Amino acid sequence: MSIMRVRWGPQHPVSGQWAFWLDVDGDIVVNMEPDIGYTHRGIEKVAENRTYIQNVPVVERTSVFDAGNIVFGYVQAVEELMGIEIPERAKYIRTIVGEMSRIVSHLYGLGLLAIAVGFETMLMWFINDRELFLDLFEMLTGARITYSFFIPGGVLHDLPQGFYDEAMRRLDYFERRLKDYWKMFFLNRTFITRTRGVGVLKREDAIRLGVVGPNLRASGVEADVRKDEPYAAYDQIDFIIPTEKEGDAYARGGVRFHELEQSVSIIRQALKKIPDGKIRVKVPITPTPPKGEAYSRVETARGEIGYYIISDGSNRPYRVKISAPSFRNLLAMPFLSRNVPMADIPTIYLSLDLIPLDVDR
Amino acid sequence: MIKVEEEVVETLKQTFTEYVVEAKVQREKRVTVVVKRERLVEIARFLRDNLQFDHIASVSGVDYPEKNEFMVVYHVWSIPKKVLVALKTSVPRDNPHLSSLISVWEGVNYFERETWEMFGIIFDGHPNLSRFLLPEDWDRGFPFRKDFKLRTKPE
Amino acid sequence: MMRKVEEWKEGRCRLFHFEIGKIQDWKPVKDLLNWARAWSLWSVHLCTGCCSPELMAVACSRFDAERFGTLPFPTLRECDLLFILGVVSEKMAKRVKITYEQMPEPKYVIALGDCAISGGLWWDSHNVVQGVDKIIPVDVYVPGCPPRPEAWIQGIRLLQKKIMEGR
Ligand code: SF4
C-alpha cells in the first residue's frame, strides 16, 4: 500500500500549539516528524535585551503551566553568578511554591491524558481540583498562574496570615481525593487497557535519547535533581522518588500520580518545619553580576530544566540558554510513534506530557 | 567531596594532553573542559564510554563577534557519577563547521538542529539540518547571533 | 427543484407572503436570530500562545463558560467564535488566517491577552506579530497576562451584548 503523508494540527483538539507530519500506511504510522515553532517567541534572544530582574517574567513564559519551578532555575543561576546565599525561610517558601506548582502541572497533564483515553469526567475532576491550589497561589502571590514570585535574593512576599490553616485544610481534602483518583482512574479496566503497553520506552533508549523527568523515571531510572543535587530545602525533607519499570503510558501516568502524593507530603513537612526569619536579602534593582557563567538545574514537573547563563559583567545577560524539559523529551515522540496505530498517537503524546510552549521557547 | 570531579579532570588531561586546552572543576558537581575541535568526537566518545557521561543535558551556541568565533557548549550529565561536564569548543565565525556528536549521544539531534538554525553553525554528519523553530520562509538571517538586532522601540 | 434550491441559497424563496431574505431584515426576526447567535457561540479549538492553560479552567466546571453557550468544539466548520489565546508568532499567523477564512459567516473574534492585543511582553521579539488585528478583524479585546477566567467571561458577555445589539 502506498504511504500517505498526513498533517495533524495545529487546529486539532489534542494537538496544542504544534503539528505533526505523520506518514501513514493504512492505519499504521510508519514515521512521524514534529512540526514545531508555532509559539517560538525567541525567549533566549529577548532575555539578552532585558536586565536580570526584568527577565523573571520573560523566562516564566517558557511554560506557564509550571511557572514556579521554571523561574526557580533562573533565579538560582543568577544567584550563583552573584554569589548570594538566600535566607532559610525563603528556601522553604520556594520549596512550598515549587511543589504546589508541580501539583498544578501534573493535574493538568493527567487531565489531558484522560481526554486521550476518553475520560471526560476525570478531566473535570482534575482541572477542578487544580483550582484548590490556584486559590492558594492567589492567596500567596496575588496571581493564579503567572506569579513571578521568585526574584534573585529570595521571594517577594511572606506567607500570609491564615495560609498554614488554609493550606492544611486543602491538602487534607486533596489527599482524600487522591484516593478516589486511584480507585476511579488508575484501577479502572478501561484506562488500564488503553494505556498498558502503549508507547513502551525502554531504559537504555530513554537514557540514549536524553529523556528527563517522570518519563525517565517511568523507565526505571532513578534520576531526580531534587535528590541528586539538592537545592532549596529539599535536603532537609524526607521524600522518595517514585519509579516504575514498564516505561509505558500507564507507568508514566502512575509516576506522576505518585509524585502528587509525594508533593503533598513535602508541602506538609515544609509548612511544619519552616523557620522564622527574613524572606530575602537585599539585591540592587539592576544587579550586575561579575563575569562568569553558571548552569543551574531544577526538577520541574516535566523534568529537569537547565539554565546556562553567561554574564559579561554588564546588567544584561550575555547569553541565556534554556534547556527545556519538553524539548528534551520531544525526541522520544518520533521514536515511540513508529509502527503504531494512529489511534495511539494522542495517548503517546499526552502521556509524555509534552508542552509545545517550552519546546518552542 | 569533589574527588570525582578532580578524577574526571585528571583523566581527561592525561589522555588527551595537547587537545585539552583547559580543564577545571568549576564547583561541586560542575566540570568545565575546553577542547580543540579536531578531536571533539573522540573526546566525547571517551567521556561516554570510559567516564559514564551518558545523559545529554543541553547544547548551546554562544557568539563572540570580537573574537571572531562561536563557542559551542555541550552539557552532559552522568547518571551514575552525578556530575555535569561542560564540553566547550570554538569554531571560527567565517567557516562554522563542526562535526556532529549524534553518533555519540543521540539526544543532541534537536539541540544541534536548533543551534544550526539560530547561529548558522553547520554540524557535519547531522542527518537533518532543516527549518525547525522559525517560519518556513524565514530569510532574515540567524536570529541568535549578536549582529542580529531586535527592535528597540515598540512598533 | 434546482430552481428552488438556488432560490433558497440566494434568500429569495417565498414563505407565505415574504421573501426569506427580507424576513431576516424584519426587526423581530433579526432580534430573534441575534439572540440565538449570541447564546450559542461555539469556539474553535486553536491554541496560539501561553494563555491556553486558562482555557481549561474556563471550559471546566468551576467557571464553566458553557453557561453562556460557549463550548470549545473541534470542527471549525460549525464554529462561529475564534479565541486568539495569546501570542501569535509569524508561523502561527498564517494558520490563524486560514482558520479564520474557513469559518462560516457570521464569525467573531476575541483577542485574549496582552500579546494578542499589541505584542505585550514580546514587543521586541523577532518572531511575534505585534497585535493580531494586523491579520484578522477583532471584535473584543480582553487584557491580562493571561486574563483571569472572569475576564474571559466578561469578554464573552461583551461580545454577546454586541451581537444582540445587532452590530
Ligand atoms: S498575554 Fe501573557 S500569558 Fe498570554 S500569551 Fe502573552 S505572554 Fe503568554
Side-chain angles (χ1 to χ4, degrees):
Chain A
M1 206 192 222
S2 65
I3 288 175
M4 203 165 63
R5 195 142 227 243
V6 187
R7 190 197 174 79
W8 217 57
Q11 195 275 308
H12 186 279
V14 282
S15 79
Q17 294 101 328
W18 63 1
F20 309 133
W21 287 107
L22 299 172
D23 291 338
V24 287
D25 179 355
D27 196 29
I28 304 292
V29 179
V30 287
N31 193 13
M32 180 269 195
E33 213 180 294
D35 175 15
I36 64 171
Y38 288 98
T39 54
H40 175 64
R41 294 143 287 176
I43 291 183
E44 293 171 16
K45 181 77 180 178
V46 169
E48 289 170 14
N49 227 14
R50 317 272 164 97
T51 58
Y52 284 91
I53 298 267
Q54 284 173 340
N55 268 335
V56 170
V58 172
V59 296
E60 185 177 45
R61 284 349 179 242
T62 306
S63 163
V64 291
F65 298 87
D66 186 13
N69 286 319
I70 294 279
V71 182
F72 214 142
Y74 175 76
V75 291
Q76 278 194 358
V78 176
E79 278 156 10
E80 190 187 327
L81 278 173
M82 300 177 67
I84 307 176
E85 186 63 34
I86 64 164
E88 267 313 279
R89 190 174 173 84
K91 283 186 184 168
Y92 272 89
I93 297 180
R94 282 187 180 183
T95 313
I96 293 167
V97 172
E99 287 308 313
M100 291 205 309
S101 173
R102 189 185 318 279
I103 292 179
V104 166
S105 176
H106 276 339
L107 285 177
Y108 193 90
L110 286 172
L112 288 181
L113 179 60
I115 307 187
V117 296
F119 260 109
E120 198 91 346
T121 324
M122 288 314 299
L123 169 78
M124 296 290 170
W125 280 27
F126 279 151
I127 300 293
N128 223 19
D129 284 346
R130 186 170 166 259
E131 300 285 332
L132 290 175
F133 294 94
L134 294 185
D135 283 351
L136 280 183
F137 276 138
E138 213 173 325
M139 195 173 170
L140 181 59
T141 69
R144 278 164 57 88
I145 53 176
T146 48
Y147 26 82
S148 304
F149 186 57
F150 300 164
I151 48 166
V155 294
L156 275 181
H157 311 289
D158 207 339
L159 298 182
Q161 224 177 11
F163 183 83
Y164 179 87
D165 298 329
E166 188 66 34
M168 282 300 181
R169 208 164 58 78
R170 279 164 195 254
L171 287 175
D172 286 342
Y173 171 78
F174 185 62
E175 235 171 13
R176 281 206 304 281
R177 293 286 283 179
L178 277 178
K179 294 209 183 83
D180 290 350
Y181 290 164
W182 186 252
K183 266 189 269 168
M184 283 278 294
F185 195 31
F186 287 89
L187 297 182
N188 189 317
R189 276 270 297 280
T190 330
F191 182 71
I192 294 175
T193 38
R194 284 180 196 176
T195 49
R196 264 279 174 238
V198 175
V200 180
L201 187 65
K202 299 221 182 58
R203 189 193 150 97
E204 305 81 59
D205 293 330
I207 296 178
R208 188 167 53 86
L209 295 172
V211 168
V212 287
N215 304 336
L216 183 63
R217 294 195 282 276
S219 304
V221 185
E222 200 169 309
D224 189 313
V225 187
R226 288 174 292 169
K227 282 273 189 217
D228 293 348
E229 202 186 326
Y231 53 92
Y234 284 110
D235 47 352
Q236 297 157 31
I237 283 173
D238 279 349
F239 64 102
I240 53 163
I241 317 172
T243 53
E244 304 261 350
K245 285 189 298 299
E246 290 86 355
D248 54 6
Y250 185 82
R252 288 193 279 272
V255 165
R256 277 188 255 135
F257 177 82
H258 293 305
E259 271 184 21
L260 287 177
E261 296 172 340
Q262 289 304 317
S263 295
V264 171
S265 114
I266 294 175
I267 298 176
R268 278 239 172 83
Q269 293 177 39
L271 278 172
K272 289 210 179 100
K273 274 193 190 168
I274 187 161
D276 285 337
K278 287 207 298 190
I279 54 161
R280 59 171 175 264
V281 291
K282 215 168 164 56
V283 170
I285 194 93
T286 47
T288 46
K291 261 189 190 166
E293 57 177 58
Y295 189 93
S296 95
R297 305 163 73 235
V298 158
E299 185 76 25
T300 73
R302 294 187 173 71
E304 166 202 334
I305 193 167
Y307 281 91
Y308 180 48
I309 301 186
I310 300 181
S311 152
D312 62 347
S314 72
N315 59 3
R316 283 150 213 253
Y318 190 75
R319 172 93 169 99
V320 181
K321 166 77 192 174
I322 307 171
S323 163
S326 294
F327 191 78
R328 297 163 69 179
N329 288 335
L330 179 63
L331 209 48
M333 184 73 209
F335 178 79
L336 290 181
S337 27
R338 235 163 257 152
N339 301 327
V340 296
M342 185 109 162
D344 280 353
I345 297 282
T347 316
I348 294 175
Y349 161 46
L350 293 171
S351 74
L352 284 171
D353 206 4
L354 298 175
I355 288 294
L357 287 170
D358 64 347
V359 174
D360 296 347
R361 281 156 293 142
Chain B
M1 270 305 268
I2 36 186
K3 238 172 44 212
V4 193
E5 290 86 333
E6 267 158 13
E7 206 182 290
V8 172
V9 169
E10 282 311 309
T11 330
L12 273 177
K13 269 188 185 157
Q14 274 157 24
T15 329
F16 299 94
T17 33
E18 71 260 47
Y19 289 97
V20 175
V21 181
E22 191 194 347
K24 64 166 195 274
V25 182
Q26 197 185 346
R27 67 167 169 92
E28 200 190 324
K29 290 183 195 298
R30 296 281 186 280
V31 173
T32 311
V33 185
V34 186
V35 299
K36 291 193 181 149
R37 71 173 182 286
E38 290 84 12
R39 297 284 290 274
L40 178 69
V41 181
E42 279 151 67
I43 294 174
R45 190 159 288 135
F46 180 81
L47 277 176
R48 185 195 66 180
D49 293 340
N50 300 30
L51 296 174
Q52 297 162 312
F53 283 90
D54 46 2
H55 201 224
I56 185 84
S58 101
V59 179
S60 15
V62 189
D63 186 8
Y64 290 108
E66 56 295 343
K67 280 195 253 170
N68 199 22
E69 65 179 27
F70 292 119
M71 198 163 70
V72 181
V73 189
Y74 293 85
H75 283 100
V76 194
W77 175 254
S78 160
I79 293 178
K81 275 205 171 83
K82 304 200 197 307
V83 176
L84 186 95
V85 66
L87 184 64
K88 298 183 183 179
T89 184
S90 55
V91 270
R93 218 158 171 275
D94 15 299
N95 183 22
H97 277 272
L98 192 67
S99 35
S100 166
L101 289 190
I102 200 156
S103 55
V104 185
W105 295 294
E106 208 169 305
V108 300
N109 188 341
Y110 288 165
F111 280 118
E112 288 190 339
R113 200 165 150 195
E114 189 203 352
T115 312
W116 166 80
E117 184 169 40
M118 297 304 174
F119 287 92
I121 301 168
I122 300 160
F123 291 91
D124 300 319
H126 191 284
N128 183 13
L129 287 181
S130 57
R131 276 266 165 266
F132 200 37
L133 288 167
L134 295 171
E136 299 88 342
D137 51 358
W138 177 267
D139 57 355
R140 283 191 274 145
F142 302 106
F144 283 13
R145 287 192 181 181
K146 283 282 170 190
D147 47 16
F148 183 97
K149 292 275 182 268
L150 299 178
R151 62 175 85 82
T152 46
K153 276 201 203 97
E155 245 177 32
Chain C
M1 187 63 210
M2 267 329 276
R3 223 190 81 230
K4 208 123 208 181
V5 174
E6 287 297 306
E7 278 182 353
W8 267 104
K9 267 193 188 156
E10 287 163 26
R12 280 190 288 114
C13 185
R14 279 171 183 280
L15 190 70
F16 308 114
H17 297 298
F18 300 103
E19 279 188 6
I20 294 284
K22 294 262 171 65
I23 284 184
Q24 287 182 4
D25 293 339
W26 191 36
K27 188 152 185 311
V29 177
K30 208 169 159 187
D31 284 354
L32 186 73
L33 281 178
N34 281 339
W35 175 82
R37 251 170 220 155
W39 289 95
S40 68
L41 289 167
W42 284 17
S43 74
V44 183
H45 212 299
L46 176 75
C47 304
T48 59
C50 37
C51 287
S52 42
E54 292 287 42
L55 173 69
M56 276 298 169
V58 169
C60 285
S61 37
R62 185 175 183 196
F63 293 99
D64 197 11
E66 223 176 312
R67 286 178 292 168
F68 306 104
T70 308
L71 174 73
F73 200 72
T75 330
L76 74 153
R77 287 285 186 197
E78 294 171 36
C79 296
D80 38 18
L81 173 60
L82 176 61
F83 278 128
I84 303 292
L85 301 168
V87 51
V88 180
S89 68
E90 282 175 16
K91 195 167 175 179
M92 190 54 120
K94 293 172 204 136
R95 273 67 178 191
V96 169
K97 201 146 190 268
I98 294 171
T99 310
Y100 183 73
E101 279 161 4
Q102 281 179 349
M103 285 162 62
E105 290 280 353
K107 49 194 169 189
Y108 310 97
V109 178
I110 298 186
L112 287 154
D114 298 347
C115 298
I117 296 172
S118 68
L121 196 57
W122 315 109
W123 57 269
D124 56 353
S125 168
H126 54 269
N127 196 32
V128 171
V129 176
Q130 303 292 314
V132 72
D133 44 8
K134 297 219 166 96
I135 343 169
I136 53 172
V138 177
D139 292 286
V140 175
Y141 298 91
V142 182
C145 185
R148 298 178 54 89
E150 292 91 334
W152 284 53
I153 289 171
Q154 195 196 8
I156 296 169
R157 296 290 288 148
L158 278 175
L159 181 63
Q160 285 179 338
K161 211 164 136 206
K162 192 173 167 180
I163 296 171
M164 285 206 261
E165 282 168 8
R167 277 188 279 146

